[in-house]
Amino acid sequence: MSTISFITGGSRGLGRSAALNIARKGGDIVFTYQSREADAQAVVADIEQMGRKAVALQLDVGDTSAFPAFVQRLKTALRDTWQRDTVDHIVHNAGHGDVALIAETTEAQFDRLVDVHFKGVFFLTQALLPVVADGGRIVNLSTALTRISAPGWSVYAAVKGAVEVLTVYLAKELGSRNIAVNVVAPGAIETDFFGGAVRDTAEFNKFFADMTALGRVGVADDIGPAVANLLAQDNRWINAQRIEISGGQGI
């Protein structure tokens, strides 16, 4: 029986790469998208062309009030598509960037970053715990900016730091169910994250490339295969770890 991986924010960027790489390894996918339904259905089509199954479901991960109804939609999709009531993996990938110096950060910016990157991760995990199979895996997404600093990223990095701590506590509390929980921390990546700043702004790209040992910024397919490998059954003893995937950024 194939595995089923649930990924938030799977229609683009790192989430899309993770979904496609998991499918290449023989897994099936359920993923969320916030608003780009056409992009989501294109990912579904790509996965189906590999002979795997995929379902895309709309969700704003920053809106915790939507989680109970969403879990019911997920259960329906699992029954209708796989005749199952559980997933094997959760990948908390969905997110956004918002840059402001501490002196200029608004409460609205702060609240949205917390809601999407920490509160949403916490309560969506809580809502999904009955839907995760024993022996499963959870992978959270963090950032290299919890280890090195860059002006303007204080709130984003702080909430990702909270996710790193949460990862350890999840691993402890879910150990009795044989569920391994880890966190992946990418460096600067060329995607449309934060308006495509790293990808499209030459100065920004060079800034991060110059501080990376391998001399370039990352691309989505530097991260997706690593997430897929972390979910593999033969990685069953990796647990409660922060795994940075940055090409040696800031060393």
Side-chain angles (χ1 to χ4, degrees):
M1 183 172 62
S2 68
T3 60
I4 303 173
S5 299
F6 171 80
I7 304 171
T8 62
S11 64
R12 58 192 178 93
L14 304 188
R16 176 182 181 275
S17 178
L20 295 178
N21 278 281
I22 292 167
R24 290 187 186 108
K25 288 182 172 292
D28 293 339
I29 309 294
V30 183
F31 68 92
T32 71
Y33 66 94
Q34 182 173 4
S35 59
R36 301 183 183 186
E37 184 176 5
D39 290 349
Q41 293 307 320
V43 176
V44 169
D46 287 342
I47 292 171
E48 289 177 341
Q49 286 178 358
M50 300 180 200
R52 306 312 315 164
K53 295 179 181 179
V55 173
L57 300 173
Q58 193 281 328
L59 178 69
D60 178 355
V61 297
D63 179 9
T64 57
S65 68
F67 292 173
F70 174 79
V71 171
Q72 293 307 311
R73 286 194 288 134
L74 173 60
K75 289 180 177 179
T76 298
L78 290 171
R79 286 194 301 267
D80 292 349
T81 307
W82 288 277
Q83 295 74 55
R84 284 183 55 180
D85 56 7
T86 59
V87 300
D88 299 287
H89 311 136
I90 298 174
V91 179
H92 285 291
N93 163 78
H96 72 292
D98 203 341
V99 176
L101 295 175
I102 292 171
E104 300 167 0
T105 298
T106 67
E107 190 170 352
Q109 288 174 308
F110 183 98
D111 287 346
R112 184 62 179 165
L113 285 165
V114 171
D115 287 348
V116 170
H117 292 276
F118 183 54
K119 184 179 179 181
V121 170
F122 185 101
F123 285 104
L124 186 56
T125 301
Q126 182 188 77
L128 291 173
L129 284 179
V131 189
V132 183
D134 290 354
R137 306 275 191 279
I138 299 175
V139 175
N140 298 320
L141 269 287
S142 181
T143 174
L145 291 169
T146 62
R147 181 179 58 82
I148 58 175
S149 60
W153 292 94
S154 62
V155 181
Y156 177 79
V159 294
K160 289 298 192 181
V163 168
E164 292 183 6
V165 174
L166 175 63
T167 296
V168 176
Y169 277 80
L170 283 169
K172 184 69 170 180
E173 294 192 16
L174 299 180
S176 62
R177 294 180 54 190
N178 197 30
I179 295 174
V181 189
N182 294 287
V183 61
V184 165
I189 307 291
E190 289 184 349
T191 67
D192 59 3
F193 179 80
F194 191 51
V198 174
R199 180 191 61 207
D200 301 333
T201 306
E203 295 82 3
F204 206 43
N205 189 293
K206 185 176 185 302
F207 171 80
F208 283 108
D210 287 347
M211 63 187 297
T212 302
L214 293 180
R216 65 170 176 86
V217 298
V219 296
D221 279 341
D222 290 323
I223 309 301
V227 172
N229 288 336
L230 191 56
L231 296 175
Q233 281 300 109
D234 54 2
N235 274 329
R236 61 186 179 273
W237 205 237
I238 300 174
N239 193 25
Q241 300 303 305
R242 178 190 186 274
I243 301 167
E244 183 165 319
I245 310 175
S246 68
Q249 183 174 304
I251 60 172

